[in-house]
Amino acid sequence: IVNDAPKIHVKDPSATDHAIIVADDLTIPLSLHGTFSYFPSRKPTAEEMNGSDDVYVLTPEEFDPHAANYSHNESMMLDWEGNMRL
């Protein structure tokens, strides 16, 4: 669940507002940079990579977040009014 409304725009804000809720025990709070929501992230250290069996990394050869096919595929799901195609 992504609660994308900033806490400043919620009548009675809680820890689950302006956050990504992955599971009952995992909530990622969002921050604001101007009007853009984000969560801070960083590259894992070598020590973290070597000390854990649970680190998953996508290599540039397997994943290009700037590839045009993502936006193209998304736009093909919508009609000219922005509604889902049937």
Side-chain angles (χ1 to χ4, degrees):
I1 299 172
V2 178
N3 294 327
D4 59 352
K7 287 178 174 32
I8 60 173
H9 297 297
V10 177
K11 186 173 185 172
D12 291 315
S14 70
T16 59
D17 290 309
H18 204 222
I20 301 170
I21 302 167
V22 181
D24 289 337
D25 61 341
L26 179 57
T27 299
I28 302 169
L30 296 173
S31 299
L32 285 174
H33 181 77
T35 59
F36 296 97
S37 297
Y38 75 99
F39 62 92
S41 61
R42 61 175 175 75
K43 177 180 168 183
T45 65
E47 182 178 307
E48 290 169 333
M49 292 290 290
N50 293 327
S52 177
D53 293 331
D54 298 327
V55 176
Y56 302 94
V57 179
L58 299 172
T59 63
E61 293 80 27
E62 297 172 5
F63 177 69
D64 177 7
H66 304 289
N69 60 316
Y70 297 111
S71 62
H72 174 75
N73 291 343
E74 181 82 6
S75 67
M76 293 305 296
M77 297 178 75
L78 304 174
D79 67 15
W80 67 276
E81 294 178 310
N83 299 314
M84 292 293 296
R85 292 178 191 253
L86 301 176

